[in-house]
Amino acid sequence: MSPKTGRRSRQGLESRLRIIEATFEIAAELGYAGTSIGKVSERSGLPASSVYWHFANKDELFAEVIQHSFDEWNASFADPVPPADQREQPDILRQNCRHLVASISSSPEFWRLGLMLALECQAVEPTARRRFLEIRRVVLERLADFWRAALPPPSQRQNPELPGRLARFTMATSDGIFVAAQAEGGGDLEALAELLADSLEALACRHG
Amino acid sequence: MSPKTGRRSRQGLESRLRIIEATFEIAAELGYAGTSIGKVSERSGLPASSVYWHFANKDELFAEVIQHSFDEWNASFADPVPPADQREQPDILRQNCRHLVASISSSPEFWRLGLMLALECQAVEPTARRRFLEIRRVVLERLADFWRAALPPPSQRQNPELPGRLARFTMATSDGIFVAAQAEGGGDLEALAELLADSLEALACRHG
DNA sequence: ATTATCTATAGATCTATAGATAATGC
DNA sequence: ATTATCTATAGATCTATAGATAATGC
């Protein structure tokens, strides 16, 4: 039924995806400015002109790369276990903190790309930049949802801004942990993630 | 006495400094890959060949830029008020947390540059990269010193690793806050800094 | 003689396009 | 006729150097 089921069209979509994935891998390490169409062409195995057949320019290529990596992350991001019983709440909260940290560090490439683009804002061109900022807002919303589900309702009634603030803190601290893991070779990612879970828990309990 | 006091030599040092500062400003926004000698030349007002007279290549230019920005940050970084009295400790700890956050956010350019280079590690060439990693270790040591002075001695005897862990957490969280401030336009830097101070305090108290 | 700057340019790489070629859809 | 890929290349920008020029130091 769909006009896009022929062999030729399918191969076109596959090439498009290969270009997106190649760009994604390079950009997560080198950023927007460091990612050239030549490198993308080399890694994807397609000539540079094929990149321009699938995407209008570097700006739009990046906009699609951002969208694609977000879609993948979003699909793998799990919801928290809601607090069921009043008594076991501290345990569930602690468990959900670990759970959240694990979920974030399971797709580090997406976060690395976001970090690069956030910092390189002057270098990133308009379309890609707009898309990135939209996605960042959606991720924050997703994190706030997590906290709304994970925090005990009474503490939210008392302080309605708490999930939003914790969401921003979660994002900021996760960012910092990825930077540290990157700078130190990645061996200590777990120890820092542990520390993040601790501090999220400490903050959530204190304000909750 | 010094052979470097003549007008000519002094002007040479001034040009060198102008190149370093121009590179620093551009690199904090665009990263290593996005900073071209052409842009440095334009912003500093000196021709590209002058850049290569003062520095062997882009790699060494960046090594010097990193060193210079660290020296400035290090000089402006203040020591904590040590805990004097047993009773007023919580207040002093809280005060020192604010103090630390303020000190870090007073020279954001240094942190921004460090963030860019940490993430772009594949793009940054050997000399600059080695210098950057050294400096990062020194900064961590400086933060650990801060916590050794700021935390009450008994809690340190009980948990000797605490200052080091808090130092790494301080660095990670500061990094995250700069990313957030950058992505969101900078208006909310203060609110996040507040949140960071809160969490440092919560962690320090809990583990202390 | 040394130090610093300038003009000019080599050679590599970058973004992007033109236009030929080949495979599918109708 | 449409979709996708290829070769080839234009024109800009990039890192880096050669070599002339001018100001200081001795």
Side-chain angles (χ1 to χ4, degrees):
Chain A
M1 310 300 165
S2 161
K4 296 269 181 181
T5 44
R7 192 195 304 169
R8 189 74 183 157
S9 294
R10 200 168 54 240
Q11 208 203 328
L13 288 178
E14 270 169 29
S15 292
R16 190 188 139 94
L17 190 61
R18 253 168 57 210
I19 291 166
I20 286 180
E21 283 170 351
T23 309
F24 175 57
E25 287 166 25
I26 298 167
E29 290 186 346
L30 304 181
Y32 186 93
T35 302
S36 70
I37 305 297
K39 288 191 190 112
V40 170
S41 163
E42 193 184 10
R43 184 174 296 213
S44 69
L46 290 161
S49 54
S50 285
V51 176
Y52 284 98
W53 191 87
H54 288 282
F55 306 93
N57 50 38
K58 189 176 168 181
D59 189 17
E60 283 201 9
L61 167 59
F62 265 78
E64 295 298 302
V65 167
I66 293 159
Q67 184 68 52
H68 179 258
S69 64
F70 168 68
D71 290 342
E72 290 216 322
W73 177 83
N74 201 30
S76 77
F77 187 82
D79 286 318
V81 179
D85 186 334
Q86 206 74 327
R87 266 173 311 162
E88 53 171 339
Q89 237 162 49
D91 262 7
I92 292 235
L93 190 57
R94 183 174 193 84
Q95 200 180 311
N96 270 328
C97 286
R98 316 268 148 188
H99 180 64
L100 177 59
V101 172
S103 202
I104 287 168
S105 46
S106 74
S107 56
E109 302 301 311
F110 170 66
W111 278 88
R112 278 181 54 72
L113 181 64
L115 279 169
M116 304 281 318
L117 297 180
L119 290 169
E120 264 189 316
C121 65
Q122 294 275 29
V124 182
E125 290 170 88
T127 309
R129 179 160 166 68
R130 205 178 317 118
R131 187 71 61 89
F132 165 67
L133 292 176
E134 276 167 31
I135 297 246
R136 208 181 145 91
R137 276 193 292 274
V138 177
V139 170
L140 264 180
E141 201 45 54
R142 197 89 163 75
L143 291 175
D145 284 345
F146 181 96
W147 286 110
R148 265 187 284 273
L151 288 171
S155 69
Q156 291 186 58
R157 272 192 296 277
Q158 203 191 333
N159 185 358
E161 287 180 6
L162 190 57
R165 294 185 74 203
L166 279 175
R168 297 180 63 218
F169 187 73
T170 305
M171 177 170 257
T173 323
S174 303
D175 285 349
I177 281 176
F178 276 109
V179 176
Q182 189 54 44
E184 291 165 25
D188 287 337
L189 184 64
E190 275 183 35
L192 271 171
E194 193 84 5
L195 213 50
L196 165 57
D198 267 8
S199 74
L200 283 176
E201 205 196 321
L203 260 185
C205 290
R206 156 186 290 228
H207 289 278
Chain B
M1 308 300 167
S2 160
K4 295 269 180 179
T5 43
R7 192 194 304 168
R8 189 72 181 160
S9 295
R10 199 167 53 240
Q11 207 203 329
L13 288 179
E14 270 169 28
S15 293
R16 190 188 139 92
L17 191 60
R18 252 168 56 209
I19 292 166
I20 286 181
E21 283 171 348
T23 309
F24 175 57
E25 288 166 24
I26 298 167
E29 290 185 347
L30 304 180
Y32 186 91
T35 303
S36 71
I37 305 297
K39 287 191 191 112
V40 170
S41 163
E42 193 184 9
R43 185 174 294 212
S44 69
L46 289 160
S49 55
S50 284
V51 175
Y52 284 98
W53 192 88
H54 287 282
F55 306 94
N57 49 39
K58 189 176 167 179
D59 189 16
E60 284 202 8
L61 166 61
F62 265 78
E64 295 298 302
V65 166
I66 293 159
Q67 184 67 52
H68 179 259
S69 64
F70 168 68
D71 290 343
E72 291 215 322
W73 177 81
N74 201 29
S76 78
F77 188 80
D79 286 318
V81 180
D85 187 335
Q86 207 74 328
R87 267 173 312 164
E88 52 170 339
Q89 238 161 49
D91 263 7
I92 292 234
L93 190 56
R94 184 175 193 83
Q95 200 180 310
N96 269 328
C97 286
R98 315 268 147 186
H99 180 63
L100 176 59
V101 172
S103 201
I104 287 168
S105 45
S106 74
S107 56
E109 302 301 312
F110 170 67
W111 279 88
R112 278 182 54 72
L113 180 65
L115 279 169
M116 305 282 317
L117 297 180
L119 290 169
E120 262 190 316
C121 66
Q122 294 275 30
V124 182
E125 290 171 87
T127 309
R129 179 160 166 66
R130 206 179 318 120
R131 186 73 58 90
F132 165 67
L133 291 175
E134 277 168 30
I135 296 234
R136 208 180 146 91
R137 277 193 292 274
V138 176
V139 170
L140 264 180
E141 202 46 52
R142 195 90 162 77
L143 292 173
D145 285 345
F146 181 96
W147 286 111
R148 265 188 283 273
L151 288 171
S155 69
Q156 290 186 60
R157 272 191 296 276
Q158 203 191 333
N159 185 358
E161 287 180 7
L162 190 57
R165 295 184 74 202
L166 279 174
R168 297 180 64 219
F169 187 73
T170 305
M171 178 171 257
T173 323
S174 303
D175 285 349
I177 281 176
F178 275 109
V179 175
Q182 188 55 44
E184 292 165 25
D188 287 336
L189 185 64
E190 274 183 37
L192 270 172
E194 193 84 5
L195 213 50
L196 165 58
D198 267 6
S199 74
L200 282 176
E201 204 195 322
L203 259 187
C205 290
R206 157 186 290 230
H207 288 279

